Amino acid sequence: MDPLAALLDGPRAHGAFLLRSVLTPPWSLRIEDRAPLTVVSVVRGDAWIVPDAGEAVPLGEGDVAIVRGPDPYLVADHPSTPPQALILPGQECRTPDGGHLTDYADLGVRTWGTGGPVVLLTGTYGMEGEISKKLLAALPALIVLRAADWPTPLVALLAGEIGRDVPGQEAVLDRLLDVLLIAALRAWFDRPDTSAPAWYRAHEDPVIGQALRLLQHQPAEPWTVAKLAANTGVSRAALARRFATTVGETPMAYLTGWRLALAADLLRQQPEATIASVARQVGYGSAFALSTAFKREFGISPQRYRTA
């Protein structure tokens, strides 16, 4: 699978923090939760996102913002409104001076705030993993998709579902949040003025896109450049040249990086798996071969990585 899909294949939105905020101006929330990735969408009214290191950005109804952590930022009715609440790791809420928060209250199922005309949806991903890092490294600190430029029914659909308290609803909301995030990222990457990562643009190439899919979906295969070329219908030399130009590295260098990122994530996701079984899943013939390559890439052994 490609890194955009792999981002959600392991952690997905399972256990993600998902909340509807209902607010009356003036309001201001300082976010210091250090979350790797957060989706903020405006259902009704308007808001501002104010990064600590960057310009304030307005959000209108239907707009979607993607914030890459872990740096703090404000979400407020206006950039000049002083923070009233501090959101810490674990979604702990405090006053800016560290006291107990009393102005904001539980307003129902997955709903919080002071009540009022402004409605926001916030979904926070607590992602970990080397594959996720590949995607996060390609993102700016803040992405904003305007409703006028990117009309989508997903915000309204998520808003309609978030307040329901029925069996299976957590799974429904997790999947809707995933779809909103993946659609928003894809829309942003597809913009002509966006510096999308080479691995994303490369999927548009009929030959290199196919080669990438083979490597990503079948990492345990004993790939060589010749075998990859035969499966994509071009010569070995043509594939090697075209791959390096499009992706920015050789096919085998890309495969090595992909295998080791997969191995790192499997070590965390499968604590009961042996190093040898992880090695087989990602295309290494033995635990020793994986350990040698892994230590060269990450500076520590697979076992130390797992327990770190």
Side-chain angles (χ1 to χ4, degrees):
M1 65 189 70
D2 63 86
L4 196 55
L7 166 70
L8 300 175
D9 185 65
R12 297 190 175 180
H14 180 66
F17 175 74
L18 184 59
L19 187 70
R20 173 172 54 192
S21 300
V22 183
L23 305 159
T24 296
W27 58 271
S28 180
L29 312 174
R30 179 164 175 81
I31 314 300
E32 296 185 1
D33 60 2
R34 301 190 63 80
L37 200 67
T38 300
V39 182
V40 179
S41 54
V42 181
V43 178
R44 190 171 68 233
D46 50 51
W48 289 77
I49 289 187
V50 189
D52 273 15
E55 297 182 0
V57 179
L59 299 178
E61 195 165 297
D63 291 352
V64 175
I66 300 171
V67 186
R68 176 177 54 79
D71 295 339
Y73 58 97
L74 286 177
V75 184
D77 70 309
H78 191 273
S80 64
T81 302
Q84 301 158 346
L86 185 64
I87 313 300
L88 299 170
Q91 303 308 317
E92 179 185 359
C93 301
R94 295 284 180 180
T95 60
D97 61 2
H100 181 65
L101 193 65
T102 58
D103 293 339
Y104 291 78
D106 185 347
L107 301 178
V109 179
R110 306 180 192 88
T111 303
W112 176 85
T114 58
V118 178
V119 179
L120 306 178
L121 300 181
T122 304
T124 301
Y125 282 76
M127 299 178 304
E128 292 183 351
E130 296 302 322
I131 292 176
S132 296
K133 288 179 183 178
K134 289 179 179 292
L135 176 63
L136 294 174
L139 301 180
L142 177 62
I143 294 170
V144 175
L145 295 166
R146 302 294 181 190
D149 302 327
W150 185 60
T152 176
L154 293 171
V155 173
L157 184 58
L158 186 58
E161 291 286 339
I162 195 170
R164 300 185 66 196
D165 190 14
V166 295
Q169 191 63 6
E170 291 290 345
V172 170
L173 294 173
D174 284 353
R175 299 291 72 76
L176 286 175
L177 180 58
D178 284 348
V179 173
L180 177 60
L181 173 62
I182 210 86
L185 288 175
R186 192 168 57 189
W188 184 77
F189 279 145
D190 286 342
R191 289 180 172 180
D193 58 341
T194 297
S195 297
W199 53 256
Y200 184 86
R201 295 289 189 208
H203 280 275
E204 300 172 357
D205 185 296
V207 172
I208 303 307
Q210 183 180 355
L212 284 171
R213 284 188 289 273
L214 288 168
L215 297 177
Q216 292 159 353
H217 286 268
Q218 303 174 45
E221 280 290 309
W223 292 111
T224 63
V225 176
K227 182 175 180 179
L228 197 59
N231 277 270
T232 53
V234 296
S235 71
R236 181 185 181 281
L239 177 67
R241 181 173 58 252
R242 193 162 166 177
F243 196 103
T245 300
T246 307
V247 180
E249 57 185 334
T250 67
M252 294 301 100
Y254 180 89
L255 177 59
T256 297
W258 183 253
R259 282 173 167 170
L260 293 174
L262 282 175
D265 288 357
L266 288 171
L267 289 167
R268 288 178 171 173
Q269 296 163 14
Q270 300 178 6
E272 74 290 346
T274 64
I275 305 300
S277 70
V278 170
R280 288 192 297 271
Q281 290 181 71
V282 300
Y284 283 89
S286 67
F288 177 78
L290 173 61
S291 297
T292 301
F294 197 94
K295 190 170 185 179
R296 186 166 55 243
E297 176 73 12
F298 297 108
I300 57 175
S301 69
Q303 190 59 45
R304 283 191 60 194
Y305 182 92
R306 169 179 273 169
T307 57

